Amino acid sequence: MFDDTIAAVATAVAAGAGSVAIVRLSGPQAEAIGRRLFVAPGQQCWESHRVLYGHVVDPATGERVDEALLLLMKAPRSFTREDVVELHCHGGLICVQRVLELVLAAGARRAGAGEFSQRAFLNGRLDLTRAEAVSELVTARSRRAAQLAMAGLDGGLQRRIGGLRERLLDQLAELEARVDFEEDLPPLDAAAVVAELEAVRGALLQLVADAQRGQLLREGLKVAIVGRPNVGKSSLLNRLSRTERAIVTDLPGTTRDLVESELVIQGVPLTLLDTAGIRATDDRVEQLGIARSRAALAAADVVLLLFDLEAGWTAGDQELREQVPPGVPLLVVGNKADLAGGLAGPAGAEPTAPAAAPAVADACISALSGAGQEHLEQALLRRCGHGGDQGLQVALNRRQHDLAAAAAAALARSLEAAQQQLPWDFWTIDLRAAARALGEITGEEINEAVLDRVFARFCIGK
């Protein structure tokens, strides 16, 4: 247990943005600080998990700072397994900040990012996968990402990883026993050991593959819509985002700056960037917009190159295509299918491509009517490697992915030692490394520096 008490505002705070804000305290002095600052009228009883009504009062002046509720949670029945007090104040900026100042003046220390969750982990309340799932749930950008975070919070990932690690430790124990006492033990079935290591490695490789899909759901994609002036980029952004975020006119060069819009398609968060049309121009303002368009092109996770089906594929379109950085997924989309002779059809339907549509087009759409939108969305996700999330129950984050991949690589080296029929102790070197990597995922084998990096990504108050 820790000997100091930490405090922080545990809810988002902005002027006029919420009616309630929570100041959270955790540590041995939490209750004492609460009793010093909170006055509960009448015969209300200070018991664990009971809500009290009253006022936060400045003990130096007797001033009532806020009308509030107090919730006391005695150890170990709290998130951190320490004494926890929550002061539920009025929202906004002033009240909650004054309450926090009084709490800090009364002896609490301002909590760092993720320090409550870190204490929960260090006090045995959470394993590391559950603690990370808390942060992922808070920052989830789509319903599917939140579902994956809840699966981790419910212990699904810990059970998977913990089970695989136990299987490795069982094999390691058998091998190390043979290294020291082979003459006193029955012969070890090497084929059975190899089969078990291969099975665990296969399960790890599947988790690594699933992590790539999970990462897409968790972090989303930045999609740069590029093209020559007046090919319909702004109309397409408005169509996909179902809002009028960008100004649409028949005049080339209307978009002078990047316009962003966020949306979710099949659980994947997307940030669409409507860029200025790239062309030669003497307009200084438009030149700045074009420079930002080129920067967005270089930084995007995927590029959607839009061209005008009515005008056909031009040298300018080809020049833009050649500017897409190597390795960045590219989707070439023909717009204005209705004007070019294609059958636009109802919104969401795939239009009939015009007879003269260039073979370079991966999809055709009418941004005006919405025909082809669903087909375009599917093609965009496929081009980014998203094959759907059916069957995806848990998903590793980046840290966990790297450790699982390292464990799988260590098992491959151990299996190579087995194939070469090396002595048992050669098998155990990499097998021990694999078990250690899996222990780092759940926090069973972790050092302070790694913990600091993990929890530093959390928000303040969590």
Side-chain angles (χ1 to χ4, degrees):
M1 300 290 283
F2 296 86
D3 58 6
D4 63 344
T5 298
I6 58 175
V9 179
T11 48
V13 176
S19 60
V20 177
I22 298 174
V23 176
R24 176 180 293 158
L25 300 83
S26 179
Q29 297 301 312
E31 183 178 355
I33 293 173
R35 287 180 178 272
R36 183 180 179 190
L37 302 180
F38 191 81
V39 176
Q43 302 299 315
Q44 299 182 66
C45 186
W46 284 71
E47 293 181 351
S48 184
H49 295 79
R50 179 187 290 271
V51 176
L52 303 178
Y53 162 78
H55 294 85
V56 178
V57 176
D58 185 342
T61 63
E63 176 193 0
R64 287 184 174 183
V65 174
D66 194 15
E67 182 183 34
L69 300 177
L70 182 144
L71 174 60
L72 170 64
M73 292 168 278
K74 298 281 289 183
R77 295 173 58 207
S78 72
F79 177 67
T80 60
R81 282 193 173 166
E82 301 176 325
D83 286 351
V84 170
V85 166
E86 288 186 351
L87 293 165
H88 295 232
C89 315
H90 284 95
L93 295 172
I94 303 303
C95 286
V96 67
Q97 290 299 331
R98 288 197 66 192
V99 171
L100 178 60
E101 289 169 4
L102 291 176
V103 167
L104 297 177
R109 172 176 63 79
R110 192 183 299 271
E115 194 167 358
F116 290 95
S117 296
Q118 187 170 6
R119 288 194 175 196
F121 166 72
L122 293 173
N123 290 331
R125 172 67 172 75
L126 301 171
D127 74 278
L128 198 53
T129 63
R130 284 184 172 95
E132 289 179 295
V134 170
S135 177
E136 290 159 8
L137 184 61
V138 171
T139 58
R141 296 174 58 193
S142 70
R143 180 179 298 181
R144 192 66 183 95
Q147 289 173 341
L148 288 176
M150 275 303 303
L153 192 57
D154 289 341
L157 182 56
Q158 190 277 335
R159 288 190 292 272
R160 290 274 290 274
I161 296 296
L164 294 175
R165 184 170 184 265
E166 286 299 317
R167 291 167 67 180
L168 293 184
L169 291 176
D170 288 343
Q171 300 306 312
L172 184 60
E174 291 290 341
L175 289 167
E176 290 186 334
R178 281 358 185 247
V179 171
D180 296 327
F181 310 106
E182 187 163 18
E183 300 83 1
D184 304 322
L185 296 172
L188 183 62
D189 186 348
V193 174
V194 167
E196 180 70 347
L197 297 186
E198 287 178 337
V200 172
R201 180 171 179 267
L204 287 174
L205 291 176
Q206 184 60 56
L207 281 172
V208 169
D210 288 345
Q212 297 173 352
R213 292 192 291 161
Q215 207 65 33
L216 196 61
L217 295 169
R218 188 178 291 119
E219 296 185 358
L221 293 168
K222 184 176 292 186
V223 181
I225 304 175
V226 301
R228 294 181 297 105
N230 212 33
V231 295
K233 298 184 296 299
S234 297
S235 296
L236 180 60
L237 178 134
N238 290 340
R239 168 63 60 180
L240 292 176
S241 60
R242 297 171 175 83
T243 61
E244 296 297 323
R245 293 297 305 275
I247 298 173
V248 178
T249 74
D250 294 331
L251 300 175
T254 302
T255 303
R256 301 297 186 93
D257 204 350
L258 295 179
V259 178
E260 289 192 12
S261 183
E262 294 193 356
L263 65 150
V264 177
I265 298 177
Q266 292 185 18
V268 179
L270 299 180
T271 300
L272 299 180
L273 302 177
D274 176 21
T275 64
I278 299 177
R279 63 171 181 168
T281 179
D282 294 327
D283 187 316
R284 178 56 179 161
V285 176
E286 190 176 354
Q287 287 176 351
L288 292 174
I290 291 171
R292 294 189 180 186
S293 297
R294 295 187 189 279
L297 186 67
D301 297 311
V302 59
V303 173
L304 192 159
L305 175 54
L306 196 66
F307 72 98
D308 186 340
L309 282 169
E310 191 177 21
W313 185 257
T314 68
D317 298 318
Q318 182 62 33
E319 182 180 348
L320 278 176
R321 181 173 185 169
E322 292 171 357
Q323 292 181 32
V324 177
V328 176
L330 169 66
L331 188 75
V332 179
V333 178
N335 187 29
K336 306 181 183 179
D338 48 339
L339 299 179
L343 300 178
E350 181 180 358
T352 303
V360 72
D362 298 306
C364 295
I365 188 173
S366 169
L368 180 64
S369 69
Q373 179 175 341
E374 184 176 340
H375 174 67
L376 169 59
E377 292 173 351
Q378 298 283 352
L380 179 61
L381 294 179
R382 284 196 304 269
R383 188 55 51 93
C384 301
H386 179 61
D389 57 2
Q390 293 79 8
L392 187 62
Q393 301 300 320
V394 295
L396 308 177
N397 61 29
R398 289 186 183 275
R399 183 191 74 88
Q400 297 160 356
H401 167 276
D402 292 345
L403 288 168
L411 286 179
R413 294 192 296 271
S414 188
L415 289 167
E416 185 178 350
Q419 187 177 12
Q420 295 176 7
Q421 298 184 342
L422 296 177
W424 302 129
D425 50 348
F426 283 85
W427 297 34
T428 63
I429 295 171
D430 293 303
L431 183 52
R432 194 178 296 111
R436 188 182 306 114
L438 296 186
E440 284 190 46
I441 292 178
T442 59
E444 293 172 86
E445 295 193 35
I446 200 88
N447 60 50
E448 187 174 345
V450 172
L451 283 181
D452 288 342
R453 286 198 300 272
V454 169
F455 288 102
R457 296 193 296 267
F458 282 51
C459 61
I460 298 293
K462 197 62 181 173

